[in-house]
Amino acid sequence: MERLLELEELETGKGKNQISTVKRAGDTRWGSHFGSLNSLLNMYNTSCLVLQTVIKEGKGAQRGEADKAYDDMTSFEFVLVLHIMIQILGITNDLCQALQRKSQDILNAMHLVSNTKILIQKLRDDGWENLLQQVLLFCNNHDIEVPNMEDHYIYGRGRFRQPKDRVTNLHYFRYDVFIAAIDSQIHELYFRFNDEMIELLSLSSSLDPKRKFQNFKADDIYKFVSKFYPANFTEQEKLNLKSQLDLFLLEIKEHPQLDSLKSISDLCRWLVDTGKGEIYYLIDRLVRLVLTLPVSTATAERAFSAMKLIKTALRNRMEDDYLTDSLIVYVEKGIAKEFDIDSIIDEFASKKDRRSLLKISKTNK
C-alpha cells in the first residue's frame, strides 16, 4: 500500500485501504473471475512479496512452486494477459450477471448479447494501442522488464529461452495473444448465442407484456411456433393459434390491468389466475414453453454446486430420491423458508396411520 500511495494509485481517506485478499474464483459464478483478476491486479505487489517470502522460508515443493509462480507473474506476457482478461471480462460481466439470475428477462438478455458482441468487436479493432500503453505503464511502475517489440519473440525465460516461429514480439503479443483471446471470446459468445438463438430470443420478446404488449405481433409469434416448436403443436393447433392470437389482442384492450404486467412470468400467472389459460390454452402452452427457454445453465450449475454440500463423504451412500429431495429444499431456500413445520407434520401424519412427532409431543403434554 505504501508503494501504491507513492505512485498515487491509491487515495487516502476514511474507510479506504482496508485489509483485503485476493478473491477466489467460483466454479459456477462467472462474474467471480472478473473480481478475482481485479483483486490480483490491485494486490500485485503484495502477492509478489508473499511469493518471495515462500521462496525464502518455504519447504520442499512449496519453494519450487512459488519460484515458478513468481517467475511467471513478473513477466511482461503475464501482465499483458492479465490486463487483456480484465478488459474482456469487464465487457462481458453485465451479461454474465444477467444470465446468472434465476428469472430471466429475455428481452434485456437479447439486447445485452448484441451489445456485448459489439463492444468485444470494438475492443478487437481499436483497443490494442490503449491496452499496450496501460501495460507499459504498469510494467514501468512495478519494475518489470519490457521486451523490445521489434525483436524476435523468444519463448520461455532463462536457460529455457528459445525462438518461436521467427515472429516479432509485437506480432506475437498483438495477434497470437490479444487477438486470439478476443476471437476465442467471440467464438464462445457465438457458440452460446448464435443467430438462431438471437432469433429465438427476438421472437420470444414478442410475448413480453412490457409497454402494453407493443411487441405482440401475431405473425412473428406464429413464425416462432412453426420454426422452434413444431413437435409441440399440430398443424390444426397452429391454425387455431392464429385465431387465439387475434382474440387475445382484443382481450388486451379490454383489460387495463394487463398494463401492469412486467414479464412473461406475470403473463403466465394472469392466465392461470383469471382462468383465461383454459380459453387461450394454446397461448398458455406457448408461454410455458418460452418460460423454460434455456437462456443459461445457471440454475443447473447451482444444483451441481449444492450437490457437493449435500452429498458429502459421510453421506456418500445417499439414495437418489433422498438426494433429489434434499437438493430441492437446498436450492429453493426462499420457498422452503415459508413452509410451516406443523403443516408438514400434519401432512406426513395423514399419509398413513402413524404416531407423528406432533402427536407424541401432545401426548407427553
Side-chain angles (χ1 to χ4, degrees):
M1 286 187 179
E2 289 176 356
R3 179 167 176 78
L4 292 175
L5 289 170
E6 291 176 3
L7 297 172
E8 297 183 353
E9 292 186 11
L10 280 182
E11 297 180 359
T12 58
K14 185 177 180 180
K16 296 184 177 180
N17 308 326
Q18 302 297 310
I19 295 175
S20 58
T21 184
V22 176
K23 296 180 181 179
R24 184 187 297 271
D27 294 333
T28 59
R29 293 286 181 179
W30 306 329
S32 66
H33 298 274
F34 179 56
S36 180
L37 293 182
N38 267 317
S39 65
L40 176 59
L41 185 67
N42 295 331
M43 300 186 64
Y44 181 82
N45 278 337
T46 307
S47 301
C48 291
L49 180 61
V50 170
L51 290 173
Q52 288 176 316
T53 303
V54 176
I55 292 171
K56 295 177 181 178
E57 303 177 5
K59 297 180 181 180
Q62 282 185 341
R63 298 176 62 182
E65 292 175 0
D67 186 59
K68 176 65 169 60
Y70 179 79
D71 194 47
D72 290 337
M73 281 188 63
T74 54
S75 68
F76 175 82
E77 186 167 348
F78 178 89
V79 174
L80 176 66
V81 173
L82 179 61
H83 281 77
I84 290 173
M85 294 311 301
I86 286 176
Q87 289 208 16
I88 292 176
L89 293 177
I91 293 173
T92 60
N93 186 55
D94 288 337
L95 177 61
C96 291
Q97 296 296 330
L99 297 181
Q100 287 284 107
R101 297 182 188 134
K102 287 186 176 181
S103 57
Q104 295 291 343
D105 187 335
I106 294 176
L107 187 60
N108 287 330
M110 177 191 66
H111 293 316
L112 275 173
V113 171
S114 300
N115 292 336
T116 299
K117 284 185 175 181
I118 293 173
L119 290 178
I120 289 288
Q121 187 64 45
K122 185 177 180 181
L123 176 65
R124 186 186 191 277
D125 297 337
D126 308 319
W128 167 252
E129 294 297 334
N130 184 52
L131 173 72
L132 184 60
Q133 291 303 316
Q134 292 181 25
V135 174
L136 292 177
L137 179 62
F138 185 90
C139 290
N140 183 55
N141 291 337
H142 295 83
D143 300 324
I144 297 173
E145 182 182 357
V146 178
N148 187 331
M149 292 298 165
E150 300 304 322
D151 290 346
H152 289 296
Y153 175 72
I154 303 296
Y155 176 76
R157 303 177 76 181
R159 60 181 180 177
F160 299 104
R161 291 164 60 88
Q162 53 184 322
K164 178 184 172 71
D165 301 331
R166 305 294 293 176
V167 298
T168 63
N169 286 317
L170 179 61
H171 183 279
Y172 173 76
F173 290 129
R174 180 167 186 175
Y175 295 99
D176 294 355
V177 178
F178 176 69
I179 297 296
I182 295 178
D183 286 347
S184 175
Q185 185 64 39
I186 293 175
H187 176 75
E188 176 68 16
L189 284 172
Y190 182 80
F191 177 76
R192 287 179 177 269
F193 304 99
N194 53 33
D195 293 338
E196 188 174 80
M197 177 59 77
I198 294 295
E199 184 181 3
L200 179 57
L201 292 174
S202 300
L203 292 171
S204 299
S205 67
S206 300
L207 292 168
D208 200 308
K210 289 182 179 178
R211 296 184 295 275
K212 300 181 180 180
F213 289 87
Q214 287 184 359
N215 296 324
F216 195 95
K217 298 177 181 179
D219 291 339
D220 287 346
I221 296 173
Y222 180 77
K223 177 182 176 183
F224 168 63
V225 171
S226 300
K227 183 171 183 178
F228 296 104
Y229 293 116
N232 297 94
F233 295 88
T234 65
E235 291 300 324
Q236 184 61 46
E237 286 179 332
K238 292 177 185 177
L239 296 175
N240 293 341
L241 178 61
K242 281 187 175 182
S243 301
Q244 287 195 13
L245 290 171
D246 292 335
L247 288 172
F248 190 71
L249 283 173
L250 297 175
E251 192 87 36
I252 293 172
K253 298 177 182 179
E254 297 176 1
H255 290 81
Q257 65 267 31
L258 288 172
D259 296 344
S260 62
L261 302 182
K262 298 180 179 180
S263 65
I264 299 179
S265 299
D266 293 340
L267 175 59
C268 184
R269 293 191 190 97
W270 182 85
L271 288 170
V272 174
D273 293 341
T274 60
K276 298 291 184 180
E278 296 181 5
I279 301 174
Y280 303 107
Y281 64 96
L282 294 176
I283 296 178
D284 180 70
R285 185 191 305 174
L286 178 58
V287 168
R288 292 173 187 270
L289 288 170
V290 170
L291 286 174
T292 60
L293 182 66
V295 178
S296 76
T297 59
T299 303
E301 289 173 353
R302 288 193 187 99
F304 279 108
S305 180
M307 191 180 297
K308 298 178 183 178
L309 303 175
I310 301 296
K311 194 169 184 177
T312 62
L314 297 177
R315 295 193 292 236
N316 60 357
R317 299 184 67 181
M318 184 184 297
E319 295 183 357
D320 291 343
D321 290 342
Y322 183 54
L323 174 62
T324 301
D325 294 341
S326 300
L327 281 173
I328 290 175
V329 174
Y330 183 86
V331 173
E332 302 295 345
K333 295 178 183 176
I335 299 175
K337 287 180 180 178
E338 299 178 1
F339 292 162
D340 179 53
I341 299 299
D342 291 338
S343 64
I344 295 175
I345 295 175
D346 292 338
E347 177 69 18
F348 179 72
S350 65
K351 296 288 185 181
K352 191 176 180 181
D353 187 16
R354 58 167 67 90
R355 297 181 68 194
S356 66
L357 295 175
L358 181 61
K359 291 180 179 179
I360 294 174
S361 62
K362 290 180 179 179
T363 303
N364 291 336
K365 288 180 181 180

